[in-house]
Amino acid sequence: MKTHKMIFLFVLLTTSFSFAQPLLKQKKEQIKALKVAYITEELNLTSEEAAKFWPLYNSFEDKQKEFKKEKKRAYLDRMDGSEIDKMTDKEATAFLIQMENTEDELYQLRKKFITSLKGVIPPMKIIKLKKAEEGFNRKLLKQYRDNRN
C-alpha cells in the first residue's frame, strides 16, 4: 500500500513539474515582451532604431546571463555553504580576487555593449536605457509583491 502511495506521489509530482516547465517558459517570454515594450516606450525608439537596437540588446542580455550562470554561480555556491568559515586568509584573498575579476568582466561586457550602441541610438537614449531597465525591474518587483499579498 505504501508503495502505491509513493508511486502516485511520484507520478503526481512528475506531471506537475512537466506542466510547470511550459508555464515558466511562457511567463519568462511574457516578461520579456513587457520589457521590450517598456524600454521601447521609455527610450522612444523609432522603428529604425528599434530594428538595430534590439538585436544588440538581446545579444548583450544573453551573454550577460550566460556569464553570470558560469562565473558567478561558481563562487556564489561557495558562499552558501559552510566553506567560508573554513577558509584560510590566503584562500579568502584568492576568492576576493576572483570576485573582483568577475565584476570587472561584467563591467567590461557592459562597456562593450554601450560602445556598440553609440552608432545605433543617440547618447541620451543610451543614458535613458539604464533608467528604463531599473524602472522596469522596480515595476516588475512591485507587481510581484502586490500579487503575493
Side-chain angles (χ1 to χ4, degrees):
M1 186 69 173
K2 232 179 187 182
T3 308
H4 292 294
K5 286 181 180 178
M6 293 296 284
I7 292 172
F8 175 74
L9 183 60
F10 177 74
V11 170
L12 182 65
L13 288 173
T14 305
T15 305
S16 296
F17 184 72
S18 65
F19 282 115
Q21 289 292 2
L23 290 175
L24 183 61
K25 186 175 181 177
Q26 182 182 8
K27 197 60 138 174
K28 284 182 179 182
E29 289 173 3
Q30 184 181 22
I31 290 170
K32 186 170 175 97
L34 290 170
K35 185 176 185 179
V36 167
Y38 184 87
I39 290 175
T40 300
E41 184 177 324
E42 289 295 307
L43 298 184
N44 196 24
L45 294 175
T46 65
S47 57
E48 184 179 304
E49 288 172 337
K52 294 176 183 176
F53 171 81
W54 285 110
L56 290 173
Y57 187 85
N58 292 335
S59 175
F60 166 72
E61 280 221 317
D62 291 345
K63 287 176 188 173
Q64 189 175 29
K65 283 179 191 172
E66 189 61 34
F67 180 84
K68 285 180 180 180
K69 186 188 247 183
E70 288 177 13
K71 301 269 183 164
K72 277 195 156 183
R73 184 58 45 206
Y75 71 76
L76 288 176
D77 287 343
R78 287 182 66 187
M79 290 174 53
D80 288 342
S82 61
E83 288 185 41
I84 289 180
D85 296 331
K86 298 175 185 175
M87 280 186 187
T88 65
D89 282 345
K90 186 177 180 179
E91 290 171 328
T93 300
F95 189 57
L96 282 173
I97 291 169
Q98 181 186 5
M99 291 171 62
E100 290 169 349
N101 289 340
T102 299
E103 290 301 322
D104 188 49
E105 287 179 55
L106 275 171
Y107 170 75
Q108 293 302 324
L109 183 65
R110 180 111 185 141
K111 191 173 174 181
K112 184 177 176 183
F113 167 64
I114 290 171
T115 299
S116 69
L117 286 179
K118 288 180 180 176
V120 174
I121 59 176
M124 187 55 75
K125 289 185 180 183
I126 295 172
I127 293 169
K128 287 181 178 182
L129 173 61
K130 183 71 173 165
K131 183 180 176 186
E133 288 173 321
E134 290 172 1
F136 179 78
N137 290 338
R138 275 193 302 275
K139 185 177 177 181
L140 189 63
L141 186 58
K142 182 183 181 322
Q143 185 177 357
Y144 174 75
R145 285 181 182 153
D146 291 346
N147 287 340
R148 291 198 67 182
N149 295 329

